[in-house]
């Protein structure tokens, strides 16, 4: 953290105060140059937008990478849908990503747009295709609503759940996708469970997935006491909420913290204690009932604050100094 130079991030810190977008889409625009109207680069993005949605939605892992065009106008792209997405929402979401990228990051050679159900990124930089490369501006999102439960107990439960879900995604899922729920009724009867999800690019090795998520879990402190939060990156992401926001049963279940445990040292149930549910197919069967009280609209009312990770690094640096 100390190696980050604060002044270069001041402009980004101002962006921190901008209101969040009304719709549930979060762009991360590249800063390495623009293309021009009617250029070969633009045509290559158009070509990708015509095929990548179907390639992603028809892939068993809901993932596609592609390179289109010849140097120096080659565009590299990737699209990944959430592990529980069905093919129709996946294809629609990826297609929307290309449309929105043109609006949200006009003429930017590199852009990533994140949604609830997918993300889409493209760049002139070939490292985007590599399962260990391609950072393109990671985002932290938090629900602006505070929890009503004691914050320490809540944070401890969230931290343990996210870690267990991340471990499961890396080590116990061939698609690098996991969902988990933790009991919380011993602390908050009104909101008795916490739900989480973790996902990596499905072409990542377990160790790379684990280290990507481990790095992100160190930022969970920035979601302290918030009803929901997520970290979005090109290689991995996680999210938690106090309501079920994914389709299908949770792959992992953690017990509620025991009553009377000191909140500051709430025991972090380890993945070993987890009760895995029998593995479910990544593609949830059509006709599965929607999760009660969940769905993709849950982030609308409360408002979500987005910050980019370099800003967090700057905040950390300023705390350390
Ligand atoms: C790219 O375009 C944006 C908006 O159109 C502009 O703000 C930015 O300065 C341009 N960047 C470069 C490197 O030309
Ligand atoms: C989509 O898949 C088809 C068939 O595998 C392939 O020929 C095509 O290049 C892919 N398109 C992209 C943009 O990846
Ligand atoms: C491509 O991206 C990688 C990783 O983000 C970066 O290290 C490298 O400098 C970039 N290359 C170019 C030509 O911008
Ligand atoms: C949440 O708590 C923080 C810190 O205690 C406070 O500044 C903020 O206004 C609260 N947010 C809401 C929506 O109540
Ligand atoms: C979760 O994992 C991170 C990174 O590996 C670690 O720093 C943190 O202490 C863990 N948190 C809990 C509650 O286990
Ligand atoms: C995950 O896989 C590891 C190693 O393959 C195994 O030891 C562990 O019990 C599994 N955990 C769950 C929750 O299935
Ligand atoms: C696909 O998922 C979306 C979003 O969860 C849902 O609204 C839609 O009904 C699903 N379609 C099918 C065919 O299951």
């Amino acid at each position: 953290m100390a190696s980050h130079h604060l002044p270069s991030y001041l402009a980004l810190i101002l962006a921190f105060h901008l209101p969040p977008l009304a719709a549930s889409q979060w762009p991360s625009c590249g800063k390495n140059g623009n293309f021009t109207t009617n250029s070969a680069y633009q045509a290559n993005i158009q070509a990708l937008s015509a095929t990548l949605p179907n390639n992603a939605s028809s892939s068993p892992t809901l993932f596609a990478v592609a390179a289109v065009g010849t140097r120096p106008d080659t565009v590299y792209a990737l699209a990944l849908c959430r592990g529980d997405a069905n093919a129709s929402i996946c294809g629609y979401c990826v297609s929307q990503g290309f449309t929105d990228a043109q609006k949200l990051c006009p003429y930017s050679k590199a852009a990533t747009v994140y949604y609830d159900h997918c993300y889409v990124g493209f760049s002139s930089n070939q490292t985007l295709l590599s399962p260990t490369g391609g950072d393109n501006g990671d985002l932290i999102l938090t629900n602006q609503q505070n929890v009503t439960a004691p914050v320490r107990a809540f944070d401890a439960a969230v931290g343990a759940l996210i870690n267990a879900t991340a471990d499961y995604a890396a080590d116990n899922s061939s698609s690098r996708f996991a969902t988990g729920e933790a009991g919380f009724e011993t602390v908050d009867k009104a909101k008795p469970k916490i739900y989480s999800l973790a996902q990596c690019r499905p072409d990542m090795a377990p160790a790379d997935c684990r280290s990507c998520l481990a790095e992100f879990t160190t930022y969970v402190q920035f979601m302290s006491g918030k009803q929901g939060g997520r970290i979005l990156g090109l290689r991995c992401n996680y999210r938690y909420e106090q309501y079920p926001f994914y389709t299908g049963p949770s792959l992992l279940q953690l017990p509620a913290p025991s009553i009377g445990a000191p909140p500051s040292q709430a025991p972090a149930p380890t993945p070993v204690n987890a009760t895995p549910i029998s593995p479910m197919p990544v593609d949830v069967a059509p006709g599965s009932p929607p999760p009660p009280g969940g769905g993709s609209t849950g982030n609308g009312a409360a408002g979500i604050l987005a910050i980019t990770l370099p800003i967090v690094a700057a905040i950390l640096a300023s705390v350390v100094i």
Side-chain angles (χ1 to χ4, degrees), residues 143-147 151 224-226 302:
N143 187 317
Q144 288 174 279
Q145 295 298 315
N146 297 319
V147 291
V151 169
S224 174
K226 298 302 177 189

Side-chain angles (χ1 to χ4, degrees), residues 31-34 106-107:
K31 288 166 190 63
N32 289 325
N34 293 342
Y107 300 108

Side-chain angles (χ1 to χ4, degrees), residues 114-294:
Y114 297 96
Y115 301 85
D116 282 347
H117 293 288
C118 79
Y119 65 83
V120 178
F122 59 80
S123 172
S124 59
N125 187 330
Q126 188 170 6
T127 62
L128 186 80
L129 299 190
S130 159
T132 55
D135 296 311
N136 214 8
D138 304 325
L139 297 176
I140 297 182
L141 308 179
T142 61
N143 187 317
Q144 288 174 279
Q145 295 298 315
N146 297 319
V147 291
T148 50
V151 169
R152 283 184 162 202
F154 181 77
D155 287 353
V158 167
L161 176 62
I162 284 174
N163 282 14
T165 311
D167 287 347
Y168 198 104
D171 295 325
N172 300 72
S173 154
S174 58
S175 58
R176 307 280 174 266
F177 172 74
T179 55
E181 63 185 69
F184 200 55
E185 69 276 8
T186 49
V187 180
D188 187 349
K189 283 196 172 57
K191 295 190 171 168
K193 280 186 193 292
I194 306 166
Y195 299 85
S196 78
L197 168 161
Q199 185 171 22
C200 294
R201 281 175 61 149
D203 59 348
M204 282 171 85
D208 292 331
C209 176
R210 202 183 314 114
S211 73
C212 183
L213 287 167
E215 184 191 336
F216 278 4
T217 53
T218 63
Y219 294 111
V220 75
Q221 59 186 299
F222 292 99
M223 306 169 188
S224 174
K226 298 302 177 189
Q227 290 185 9
R230 44 185 129 174
I231 297 199
L232 305 171
L234 274 174
R235 291 180 295 131
C236 68
N237 65 82
Y238 67 75
R239 176 180 177 187
Y240 76 89
E241 303 286 352
Q242 285 186 300
Y243 60 88
F245 57 92
Y246 43 79
T247 307
S250 303
L251 286 172
L252 181 77
Q253 292 184 319
L254 299 189
S258 52
I259 262 173
S264 57
Q265 319 224 318
T270 62
V272 176
N273 296 335
T275 310
I277 295 179
S278 60
M280 70 165 185
V282 168
D283 278 314
V284 169
S288 299

